[in-house]
Amino acid sequence: MDDREFRTAMGKFATGVTVIATDVDGDVHGMTANAFMSVSLSPKLVVISIGEKARILEKIKQSKSFSVNILAADQQELSMIFAGQIKGHREVLFDRLDDKPVLAGAVAQIACEVSAEYLEGDHTLFIGKVTDIQLTNADPLIFYSGRYRALVNENPVTI
Ligand code: FAD
């Protein structure tokens, strides 16, 4: 199996889109990520996966904290900014939640303290202990097969 086939297969898992943000000495750094998952309810834990080349990796190791901002459907531009898909510096303002930098308008802002980290292959998994959450009533941005999508609610399934 080659890298392309693996990436294509993983891209078939539809996800939301998050911006991970951290703060080292007042300098906020953000990165777009969809490798995010809830881990445990008691205690409340989440996991993110950060590539070895990402600049945010060392920053999270230093700050030992991060936020996960689940983007709303109208925040695709923020995803593109924090994935480096839009070149050049753009001014982005951050709010604060439990002293972690968070993005206004996100569907969910999740403040975390790093409780463990695991190097696995070319990524580091950070387990985050959730210290606070803020929710907004908006539809999420979706990522599937390498493209941004939106939820369509024409045929809702009743469970
Ligand atoms: P940089 O390349 O240094 O920063 C990324 C961009 O954010 C730069 O353009 C920078 O100018 C901008 N930026 C950073 N902070 C600020 C700020 N405070 N104000 C304004 N702009 C700022 N990679 C992973 O490791 N894990 C994943 O789960 C993951 N999921 C992804 C999901 C999607 C949908 C996409 C599109 C990409 C994903 N990536 C993921 C790739 C990752 O987003 C990029 O490789 C990213 O550029 C690497 O970030 P970096 O820390 O090296 O940041």
Side-chain angles (χ1 to χ4, degrees):
M1 172 210 331
D2 64 13
D3 291 359
R4 189 189 188 88
E5 190 179 10
F6 181 79
R7 290 176 77 130
T8 301
M10 296 306 113
K12 298 299 177 191
F13 188 55
T15 66
V17 182
T18 79
V19 170
I20 309 297
T22 195
D23 179 341
V24 177
D25 299 330
D27 182 23
V28 176
H29 190 88
M31 189 196 87
T32 300
N34 64 349
F36 161 70
M37 181 176 89
S38 159
V39 171
S40 161
L41 186 61
S42 181
K44 293 179 178 56
L45 301 174
V46 297
V47 64
I48 57 171
S49 177
I50 305 291
E52 64 185 355
K53 293 187 180 137
R55 289 206 304 141
I56 201 169
L57 179 61
E58 286 307 318
K59 293 172 188 284
I60 294 176
K61 286 184 178 191
Q62 273 184 53
S63 68
K64 301 203 180 308
S65 68
F66 60 88
S67 72
V68 180
N69 301 271
I70 300 175
L71 297 184
D74 63 0
Q75 293 184 311
Q76 180 178 326
E77 189 181 12
L78 283 177
S79 174
M80 295 178 75
I81 289 172
F82 289 104
Q85 294 169 326
I86 294 178
K87 302 294 175 200
H89 181 76
R90 301 283 186 100
E91 191 68 30
V92 179
L93 297 178
F94 286 84
D95 291 342
R96 293 275 160 179
L97 180 68
D98 191 33
D99 207 31
K100 282 79 176 175
V102 289
L103 288 170
V107 172
Q109 303 168 339
I110 305 164
C112 301
E113 307 277 352
V114 173
S115 70
E117 63 179 78
Y118 303 97
L119 176 62
E120 295 294 343
D122 55 13
H123 277 58
T124 297
L125 306 179
F126 288 100
I127 306 293
K129 186 174 189 309
V130 177
T131 58
D132 206 351
I133 279 183
Q134 181 89 26
L135 298 173
T136 302
N137 193 14
D139 279 348
L141 181 62
I142 304 295
F143 197 70
Y144 175 69
S145 251
R147 287 178 51 197
Y148 294 103
R149 320 260 178 165
L151 282 182
V152 176
N153 211 16
E154 283 169 358
N155 297 299
V157 178
T158 309
I159 299 172

